Amino acid sequence: MDLLARVASAPIRDRWLQPLVRGEITSAFCMTEPAPGAGADPSNLRTTAVRDGDGFVISGRKWFSTGAGRASFLVVLARTSEDPRAGATMFVVDRHAPGVEHVRDVETMGPPLLAHREAELVLDGVRVGPDAVLGGVGEGFRLAQARLVPARLTHCMRWLGLAARALDLCRAYVRERVSFGRPLAEHQLVQQKLAEGASAVHAGNLMTLHCATLLERGLDKEARPYSSMAKNHVARTLCAVLDDAIQLHGAMGYSADAPFERWYRWARAARIADGPDEVHTVVVAREVLAGRLELLV
Ligand SMILES: Cc1cc2nc3c(=O)[nH]c(=O)nc-3n(C[C@H](O)[C@H](O)[C@H](O)COP(=O)(O)OP(=O)(O)OC[C@H]3O[C@@H](n4cnc5c(N)ncnc54)[C@H](O)[C@@H]3O)c2cc1C
């Protein structure tokens, strides 16, 4: 509850955040906007929140807000000034407030996760009170960063679990299936796929663990580039392991008789959501160039 107490007003905690933590309702995070708005570069933010009396009026369009169609409330990032660092504010918005329109659920290549789809929303003059501000006015970009680091790690944990499961299924299959007079497991090119997959999963696990340790020690700022490194590595590992799993299972791997094609369609988003590969690569490169990374921990 400490974090909730720090960032949210008492009415927001009572009405929304406590039922959320108890698992009674769901929420959605609304940062991304159609071009030319916020995406890989959040500073393109176009949704505005204009002061009106002691509250704000929010207007804009958001999309790819996972679960927004069924959410009880939205966390909306909106522009409150032109300040490049302190120009954004996060608001808690009732999903059913006047002016919030759920335009559609966007069809994607992946199956929905826990029945949540990526939604497109219009916010048309949505009125919120001063209590709706999370943290403080101008804190939006900072809070987004604070949220994204642990969020990336929870993605990594799920993705590593899925990659490990895929490797398990591959191991079982290649020991049974015979080609050219011996089990697939005895062909060295097959062994290479398994060895590379296992090594990449293990490396991703250590990166995730290291970053989580920094967070646990309160070193949030130091953890940021390591979270980019882990997110990048694990997302690519998951896609590569699933691609190899399809290959190792042959035609069955490509079919809906095996789980891999469905998992791959879901996994492909990992290289885009919460920042595409390239943006995380840029973050890591910046830290390398500045000599700020400790690679041997
Ligand atoms: C399944 C899924 C769920 C999502 N859930 C949410 C959510 O709940 N809430 C939310 O707000 N958003 C969500 N998103 C959106 C996601 O965070 C954005 O898609 C992501 O930040 C990229 O923004 P964009 O799609 O606008 O890509 P753009 O900003 O248009 O970028 C397009 C491409 O350009 C390239 N690129 C961008 N910048 C650089 C650079 N500096 N150097 C080199 N190449 C670059 C990358 O290849 C990038 O993929 C989700 C996306 C997906 C796919």
Side-chain angles (χ1 to χ4, degrees), residues 28-35 37-42 44 62-68 75 108 110 117-119 147-148 155 266 268-280 282:
F29 180 66
C30 308
M31 187 197 74
T32 308
E33 303 165 338
D41 179 0
N44 285 334
K62 298 286 183 181
W63 72 346
F64 286 93
S65 302
T66 303
V75 175
T108 65
R117 293 246 64 138
E118 281 62 51
R147 167 201 169 271
L148 280 170
H155 288 321
W266 177 77
R268 187 59 183 82
R271 295 185 50 203
I272 300 171
D274 272 358
D277 289 0
E278 295 85 344
V279 167
H280 292 292
V282 168

Side-chain angles (χ1 to χ4, degrees), residues 8 71 80 90 157 165 185 203 238 270 283:
T80 37
M90 270 190 200
M157 292 172 207
R165 173 79 181 127
L238 176 60
V283 169

